[in-house]
Amino acid sequence: MFTQPGAVEPDSNEGIKRTLTDVIMAASANAPRSRQRRIGPSEVGDPCPRRLAYKLLDWPTVNDGGDPWPSIVGTATHAWLADALLLHNDKEPGRFLIESPWKSTTDPYRVTGFLGRAMPTTPPRIP
């Protein structure tokens, strides 16, 4: 099969790399975390008030196209840990609260979402 000069064969190393990169970038751009329009729990402590204001006003993002890999790894790790703690809860029922819905009443932001931390349901025992 003949290709144009500079074209990349789909089954070549470069062609596979480009395809995988396109798949990863498209999946990341369409993930719920990427499409979220409200301020999430991880953004509440952002030190940049301008960034928070732009997010609250739903202004178009600037400098798009960053590396989504850290958020992909973080989301996967979060899901894996939640599953592991749910399995642990089978052995020790009610030990950890996983993905509990919560609402903040702190004005002016009114943050909603999920408590993404595994929290013991009983206070720690102090010897």
Side-chain angles (χ1 to χ4, degrees):
M1 174 178 186
F2 295 102
T3 59
Q4 294 291 325
V8 176
E9 290 285 335
D11 292 333
S12 69
N13 288 344
E14 184 61 28
I16 293 169
K17 175 185 170 188
R18 286 183 186 182
T19 300
L20 286 174
T21 300
D22 290 346
V23 167
I24 290 168
M25 296 298 278
S28 174
N30 290 305
R33 179 181 172 142
S34 298
R35 298 176 63 202
Q36 174 181 316
R37 295 290 170 243
R38 296 174 123 180
I39 291 178
S42 63
E43 295 167 301
V44 170
D46 196 312
C48 180
R50 180 182 294 177
R51 178 183 220 148
L52 289 172
Y54 285 174
K55 180 87 174 194
L56 283 171
L57 295 170
D58 197 23
W59 284 19
T61 55
V62 180
N63 299 330
D64 273 350
D67 185 0
W69 196 247
S71 67
I72 292 168
V73 170
T75 301
T77 301
H78 180 101
W80 182 90
L81 185 55
D83 289 345
L85 291 171
L86 284 171
L87 284 173
H88 179 80
N89 278 351
D90 289 343
K91 296 175 191 166
E92 194 179 340
R95 176 69 172 108
F96 291 101
L97 220 34
I98 312 297
E99 293 295 331
S100 299
W102 65 278
K103 256 189 184 183
S104 169
T105 57
T106 306
D107 286 330
Y109 300 109
R110 297 215 181 259
V111 179
T112 60
F114 283 88
L115 183 60
R117 233 176 255 161
M119 307 230 1
T121 57
T122 56
R125 288 178 227 124
I126 299 173

